[in-house]
Amino acid sequence: MSEVSARPARVDPERVARVGEALAHVLSPGQWRQDTETLAAYGRDESDSGVFPPDAVVFPESTAQVSAIFKACVAHGVPFTPCGARSGKSGGSLPLDGGVAVSLERMNRIRSISVEDLTAVLEPGVVTGDLMKAVEAQGLFYPPDPNSWEFCTMGGNVAENAGGPRALKYGVTRDYVIGLEWVLPDGEVVRVGRRTIKGVAGYDLVGLFVGSEGTLGVATEITVQLIPLPRKVLTALVVFPSVLDAARAVSAVLAAGILPRCLELIDDVALRAVDGRGFSFPSGAGSALIVEVDGTSEESLLEELSRVGDICAQQGAAQTLVARDESQREKLWAVRRVISPALRALKPHKISEDIVVPRSRIPEIIERLKAMGAELGLTVATYGHAGDGNLHANILYEGPHQRPLVDEALRRMLVMTVDLGGTITGEHGVGLAKREFLALEQAPALIELQRRLQSFFDPSGLLNPRKIFPALVRSH
Amino acid sequence: MSEVSARPARVDPERVARVGEALAHVLSPGQWRQDTETLAAYGRDESDSGVFPPDAVVFPESTAQVSAIFKACVAHGVPFTPCGARSGKSGGSLPLDGGVAVSLERMNRIRSISVEDLTAVLEPGVVTGDLMKAVEAQGLFYPPDPNSWEFCTMGGNVAENAGGPRALKYGVTRDYVIGLEWVLPDGEVVRVGRRTIKGVAGYDLVGLFVGSEGTLGVATEITVQLIPLPRKVLTALVVFPSVLDAARAVSAVLAAGILPRCLELIDDVALRAVDGRGFSFPSGAGSALIVEVDGTSEESLLEELSRVGDICAQQGAAQTLVARDESQREKLWAVRRVISPALRALKPHKISEDIVVPRSRIPEIIERLKAMGAELGLTVATYGHAGDGNLHANILYEGPHQRPLVDEALRRMLVMTVDLGGTITGEHGVGLAKREFLALEQAPALIELQRRLQSFFDPSGLLNPRKIFPALVRSH
């Protein structure tokens, strides 16, 4: 990882101290931290965007405290940046200009789960996996499953509009959030959305706030809708001689009217990296798909997987392995989960991109990425949620001396993604990592409109500054 | 219907004439109409909100023309209000202050349907039913099915975030719109969203614009995602002795982990009104549910309906009738469709409300509505999408002399809806019809925030004026 830690100390320590003093009567000791270790920990996330330690970290335990913190920061002109589990992949929670990091991690209660209403009400610090388990214990299902579900928090999922493999059938975070208690940048608290599944009263501010990457305010309470837990889930691994065969099979399966809940692609580089790590691929395997279907009867799911197998065979698949029990199913998903660490083992450095193309362009983007890798002398590994066109394209490299080449590869990757009608981020967000690339996809007038909208909500400009939008864009 | 047509002539005819002149070089003859018949037709919709004829109706045929019309209206200070099929139920497209009605009905081409990408691109004037048929012919499915699908247009569905019976399983318009070409109130054209299924680059302006009821701009191109057409659909009618039994069965079915695509309730008044109109209910029938499931195999769907039947029997159901073929299925849905005209036949006047309560409160709201009807001496009939808590509660009355009583009943109905954690509109929008009730549900600060947001997008205040928000709200 090439990390940049050179943050100019922009915030006057006096101002930060004044924020701390203003909050002294609101917070308990231990809720305001300025020790070096804490500052260092809250200056990084799971992106490759660098280290930006805040000047203080504050741990509110109530909505009123969040509101007071925002008000104090605005009053004293100190930047403030909300964070959750710091598992973000685009730098969205990095305090770029220092100031106060506002961690929601202590607000971590599931307030209620209603089996009859199919809803849950929770605080933003609830770990996504804890919510999943709690509702599944009651026969309900919260489908969005970001890869980091074991440690990421729901507040972060809301901020980033997190997705995951099941998005193919079930959609993303935004599709499940129906109501929010929301602290606006000036500290005002509003309740937006509703407690019912349906409702159209007023503007859809829930839709606007979900995915706003911590720049329009922060959720202090989240109401989600749930669905009945599917009674049966079946998983299969389909092995192909080449990644293009596999990519074409993805389109063919969907065009045949089958909507699996997951349809994950593993390309040749990724497959070689994981081969033998708890799972051995047959010889000649050059790519694989993990297909997962769910529904009410095992029989009809087996029939569905059998149709998937037939379609894949027509596209050249060598083999379809159906997991017959939970332990076999777990083994197939272990293959998917080990990809990222296995690729890291291939080369000292790895950068992962999160792109989406229209599904029909998957074979083309994979071919183009391979050609680009060959041209630049870099290894490119592609895997991910091929069913909805969302690919994680990884560039593997030897060391910092190759970084300019890697940056060129990243730029070309995003240019070709947009060129194919795609988007530069499917589920990780723009944050810091991609703000300079947003203009590849969005017109200057649209970027300008969004900047103005940000200023509408945050005239102070102090909430999570310099994220999402490029440094300088002029409208025509 | 009690209609109010007394609109003060607020717009100076000179100004309207100047807009017409400014557009003369942009429009062909016949695209600008000021004859009395046209003005009268564009002054009403399917709501009970009155008649508000515009001063001119314009029929743009391109995005550039829409943009030019908006610019001309702003330049000359003339109010302008977009409309589609004028099938709205909340008065959203009524030109309250006169001025120019901008009908998008001539922009009615389906531009493309992609089987591989599962997307379609279309103009706003496309009739929803035409889109449904066109994609179904290719094995694809556009699920949102507002009752008016045979004549409403997609632009109106976007403006109102239209729902329908299938929303229970498949969601509403907002869940399918992924990209928009959008003309802002000042005439600027932006493209928001994307062509891919997934994507999180920038703020979710698509989410904000869908459901903005023609107050933040208008869609000139709509990109929707589609899903594979379910291969099998089965429909059943379940007959109950009383509406409370039926309401409790709705909760029990969902709590058992079954998610039908439709779960429609018919109460005793509605049932008596439709009985004998092409379908005869068994004696002792006091309520009914229409249950529709879809999936991949008929066998598993029959099994699912059989479980539904068992659960309903436990709640007191007398009988479950499964439609064995398409003509029987059609017969069951005809029962649902005839409710509204059949109720109209019971009394000279009818007002239909569109409320939503958390599903668990359905029995309670139905009891309360009946009690209220008894107290006020009005007939209340309730039916609708009980599966997601969205009920259409109808008040039947004799004539204009009862209107004050009806208005009191409406007010009480909305108060009790909000009191039970519900929302005043599930799918029809606030528009004109409910703007004075929004404050029952939303705090003054939230209404004020939305008003300011409206001004952010439309500083002129000329686009579809005086909709959604109450006449006067002061923030605390």
Side-chain angles (χ1 to χ4, degrees):
Chain A
M1 296 295 122
S2 74
E3 289 179 339
V4 188
S5 67
R7 181 181 65 79
R10 283 195 198 80
V11 184
D12 176 1
E14 281 284 318
R15 287 171 180 263
V16 177
R18 261 177 268 147
V19 171
E21 283 157 27
L23 294 171
H25 69 286
V26 176
L27 304 176
S28 309
Q31 288 190 265
W32 175 270
R33 302 276 292 273
Q34 292 192 276
D35 58 285
T36 319
E37 202 179 326
T38 303
L39 298 185
Y42 284 79
R44 57 174 72 223
D45 66 1
E46 292 295 321
S47 74
D48 188 56
S49 305
V51 181
F52 300 86
D55 297 292
V57 185
V58 62
F59 300 90
E61 292 168 7
S62 68
T63 304
Q65 287 185 347
V66 174
S67 170
I69 292 161
F70 282 22
K71 283 177 179 169
C73 287
V74 171
H76 296 284
V78 172
F80 54 112
T81 301
C83 64
R86 291 159 289 137
S87 54
K89 305 281 278 181
S90 58
S93 68
L94 297 176
L96 287 201
D97 292 345
V100 177
V102 186
S103 169
L104 282 300
E105 68 199 85
R106 291 193 191 172
M107 294 180 68
N108 60 359
R109 283 187 320 128
I110 296 176
R111 290 186 181 164
S112 64
I113 296 171
S114 167
V115 174
E116 272 200 307
D117 290 336
L118 281 84
T119 54
V121 180
L122 48 124
E123 294 175 349
V126 169
V127 170
T128 307
D130 292 345
L131 174 66
M132 288 171 169
K133 281 175 226 149
V135 303
E136 284 172 24
Q138 302 201 35
L140 303 175
F141 189 39
Y142 177 73
D145 56 342
N147 207 39
S148 52
W149 59 269
E150 285 169 293
F151 42 92
C152 66
T153 58
M154 285 296 295
N157 288 188
V158 166
E160 300 295 323
N161 190 14
R166 294 177 197 150
L168 173 57
K169 179 169 179 178
Y170 289 113
V172 294
T173 305
R174 171 200 127 125
D175 299 309
Y176 293 87
V177 178
I178 58 175
L180 293 168
E181 180 185 71
W182 189 260
V183 182
L184 291 163
D186 65 0
E188 184 167 24
V189 181
V190 288
R191 283 196 162 267
V192 298
R194 45 188 207 277
R195 283 186 280 168
T196 55
I197 302 306
K198 233 170 151 180
V200 293
Y203 297 139
D204 183 12
L205 294 181
V206 170
L208 179 64
F209 291 158
V210 174
S212 60
E213 303 194 26
T215 67
L216 301 182
V218 75
T220 45
E221 184 189 275
I222 302 162
T223 303
V224 293
Q225 63 167 312
L226 306 166
I227 58 174
L229 186 63
R231 270 166 293 169
K232 300 285 175 192
V233 182
L234 282 185
T235 310
L237 182 82
V238 191
V239 179
F240 292 84
S242 88
V243 64
L244 285 181
D245 297 328
R248 277 189 286 260
V250 167
S251 287
V253 166
L254 294 165
I258 300 167
L259 188 64
R261 78 173 188 181
C262 309
L263 196 41
E264 298 280 305
L265 174 78
I266 304 170
D267 86 346
D268 51 339
V269 178
L271 187 140
R272 281 196 308 270
V274 298
D275 197 9
R277 288 177 170 240
F279 189 91
S280 290
F281 283 92
S283 72
S287 181
L289 290 178
I290 297 177
V291 187
E292 187 163 280
V293 293
D294 64 8
T296 48
S297 96
E298 184 156 343
E299 203 181 339
S300 77
L301 293 182
L302 276 170
E303 188 192 309
E304 194 152 290
L305 278 187
S306 145
R307 284 189 66 215
V308 169
D310 290 348
I311 293 164
C312 288
Q314 283 160 25
Q315 303 293 327
Q319 212 174 344
T320 298
L321 308 161
V322 178
R324 288 287 167 171
D325 56 33
E326 193 55 33
S327 94
Q328 284 191 6
R329 212 187 130 223
E330 178 45 39
K331 211 168 158 185
L332 294 187
W333 278 110
V335 172
R336 169 68 178 82
R337 272 200 306 275
V338 84
I339 295 175
S340 187
L343 288 175
R344 274 189 199 283
L346 285 187
K347 298 263 181 181
H349 298 265
K350 172 173 96 78
I351 280 192
S352 175
E353 277 304 320
D354 161 47
I355 57 175
V356 192
V357 291
R359 290 186 254 235
S360 61
R361 314 309 282 269
I362 293 174
E364 194 169 347
I365 189 95
I366 287 176
E367 276 194 316
R368 286 216 212 172
L369 288 170
K370 291 220 169 289
M372 180 197 71
E375 189 188 331
L376 297 179
L378 293 166
T379 305
V380 178
T382 305
Y383 64 94
H385 323 312
D388 50 26
N390 188 190
L391 297 172
H392 296 309
N394 291 257
I395 298 171
L396 312 181
Y397 63 106
E398 300 295 343
H401 65 285
Q402 285 194 303
R403 187 61 201 238
L405 206 58
V406 171
D407 287 339
E408 171 61 14
L410 290 179
R411 200 191 57 78
R412 287 197 200 179
M413 187 187 291
L414 298 179
V415 167
M416 71 177 69
T417 297
V418 172
D419 188 41
L420 291 174
T423 175
I424 60 169
T425 175
E427 53 184 22
H428 293 170
V430 176
L432 171 60
K434 287 184 178 167
R435 62 178 187 180
E436 300 305 331
F437 297 110
L438 188 63
L440 288 178
E441 181 176 336
Q442 299 189 344
L446 176 57
I447 294 177
E448 186 56 30
L449 175 67
Q450 293 175 90
R451 283 183 167 290
R452 289 200 298 117
L453 191 59
Q454 181 180 25
S455 296
F456 169 85
F457 281 99
D458 180 21
S460 79
L462 291 167
L463 174 61
N464 203 359
R466 300 195 289 126
K467 297 286 172 65
I468 306 179
F469 307 111
L472 248 185
V473 173
R474 287 211 174 72
S475 176
H476 298 307
Chain B
M1 298 287 123
S2 75
E3 289 179 339
V4 187
S5 66
R7 180 183 65 78
R10 282 193 199 82
V11 184
D12 177 0
E14 281 286 316
R15 287 171 181 263
V16 177
R18 261 176 269 144
V19 171
E21 283 156 28
L23 293 171
H25 69 286
V26 176
L27 304 176
S28 308
Q31 288 190 267
W32 175 270
R33 302 276 291 272
Q34 291 190 279
D35 58 286
T36 319
E37 201 181 328
T38 303
L39 298 185
Y42 284 79
R44 57 176 71 223
D45 66 0
E46 292 295 319
S47 75
D48 189 55
S49 305
V51 181
F52 300 86
D55 297 292
V57 186
V58 62
F59 300 90
E61 291 168 8
S62 69
T63 304
Q65 288 185 347
V66 175
S67 171
I69 293 162
F70 282 23
K71 283 178 180 168
C73 288
V74 172
H76 296 284
V78 172
F80 54 111
T81 301
C83 65
R86 290 160 290 137
S87 54
K89 305 281 278 181
S90 58
S93 68
L94 296 176
L96 288 200
D97 292 345
V100 177
V102 185
S103 168
L104 281 301
E105 68 199 84
R106 293 194 189 172
M107 293 180 68
N108 61 359
R109 282 188 319 129
I110 296 176
R111 290 186 182 164
S112 64
I113 295 171
S114 167
V115 175
E116 272 199 308
D117 290 337
L118 280 85
T119 53
V121 180
L122 47 125
E123 294 176 349
V126 170
V127 170
T128 307
D130 291 345
L131 174 66
M132 289 170 166
K133 281 176 227 150
V135 304
E136 284 173 25
Q138 302 201 35
L140 303 174
F141 190 38
Y142 177 73
D145 56 343
N147 206 39
S148 53
W149 59 268
E150 286 170 289
F151 42 92
C152 66
T153 58
M154 286 295 296
N157 289 188
V158 165
E160 301 294 323
N161 190 14
R166 294 177 197 149
L168 173 58
K169 179 169 179 179
Y170 289 112
V172 294
T173 305
R174 171 199 128 125
D175 299 308
Y176 293 86
V177 178
I178 57 175
L180 292 168
E181 180 186 72
W182 189 260
V183 182
L184 292 162
D186 66 359
E188 186 167 23
V189 181
V190 288
R191 284 197 161 267
V192 298
R194 44 189 207 278
R195 282 186 280 169
T196 55
I197 301 305
K198 234 169 150 181
V200 292
Y203 297 139
D204 183 12
L205 294 182
V206 170
L208 180 64
F209 291 159
V210 173
S212 60
E213 304 194 24
T215 67
L216 301 183
V218 75
T220 44
E221 186 189 273
I222 302 161
T223 303
V224 293
Q225 62 167 312
L226 306 166
I227 58 174
L229 186 65
R231 267 166 295 169
K232 299 283 174 192
V233 182
L234 282 185
T235 310
L237 181 82
V238 191
V239 180
F240 292 83
S242 88
V243 64
L244 286 180
D245 297 328
R248 278 189 286 262
V250 168
S251 287
V253 167
L254 294 164
I258 299 168
L259 189 63
R261 78 173 188 181
C262 308
L263 196 41
E264 298 280 306
L265 174 78
I266 304 170
D267 86 347
D268 51 339
V269 179
L271 187 140
R272 280 197 308 272
V274 299
D275 197 10
R277 288 179 170 239
F279 189 91
S280 291
F281 284 92
S283 71
S287 180
L289 290 178
I290 297 176
V291 186
E292 186 162 280
V293 293
D294 64 8
T296 47
S297 94
E298 184 155 346
E299 203 180 339
S300 76
L301 293 182
L302 276 170
E303 189 191 309
E304 196 153 289
L305 277 187
S306 145
R307 286 189 65 218
V308 168
D310 291 348
I311 293 164
C312 289
Q314 283 160 25
Q315 302 295 326
Q319 211 175 343
T320 298
L321 308 162
V322 178
R324 288 286 165 171
D325 56 33
E326 193 53 35
S327 94
Q328 284 190 7
R329 215 189 126 222
E330 176 46 37
K331 211 167 159 185
L332 295 187
W333 278 111
V335 172
R336 169 69 178 83
R337 270 201 306 275
V338 84
I339 294 174
S340 187
L343 288 175
R344 273 190 200 282
L346 285 188
K347 297 260 181 184
H349 298 264
K350 173 172 96 79
I351 281 194
S352 175
E353 276 305 319
D354 160 49
I355 57 175
V356 192
V357 291
R359 290 185 254 235
S360 61
R361 313 309 282 272
I362 293 175
E364 197 171 344
I365 189 95
I366 286 176
E367 277 195 315
R368 287 216 211 173
L369 287 172
K370 290 219 170 289
M372 181 197 72
E375 191 190 329
L376 295 179
L378 292 167
T379 305
V380 179
T382 305
Y383 64 94
H385 324 312
D388 50 25
N390 188 189
L391 298 173
H392 296 310
N394 291 256
I395 298 171
L396 312 181
Y397 63 106
E398 299 295 343
H401 65 284
Q402 284 192 304
R403 189 60 202 240
L405 205 59
V406 170
D407 287 340
E408 171 60 16
L410 291 179
R411 199 192 57 78
R412 287 198 200 177
M413 187 187 292
L414 297 179
V415 167
M416 72 177 71
T417 297
V418 171
D419 188 43
L420 291 175
T423 176
I424 61 169
T425 175
E427 53 183 23
H428 293 170
V430 177
L432 171 60
K434 286 183 178 167
R435 62 178 188 182
E436 299 306 329
F437 298 110
L438 189 65
L440 288 177
E441 180 176 337
Q442 299 191 344
L446 175 58
I447 293 177
E448 186 54 33
L449 176 66
Q450 293 175 91
R451 281 183 167 291
R452 289 200 297 115
L453 192 59
Q454 181 181 24
S455 296
F456 169 85
F457 282 99
D458 180 22
S460 79
L462 292 167
L463 175 61
N464 205 358
R466 300 194 290 125
K467 296 290 173 63
I468 305 179
F469 308 112
L472 249 184
V473 175
R474 287 210 175 71
S475 176
H476 299 307

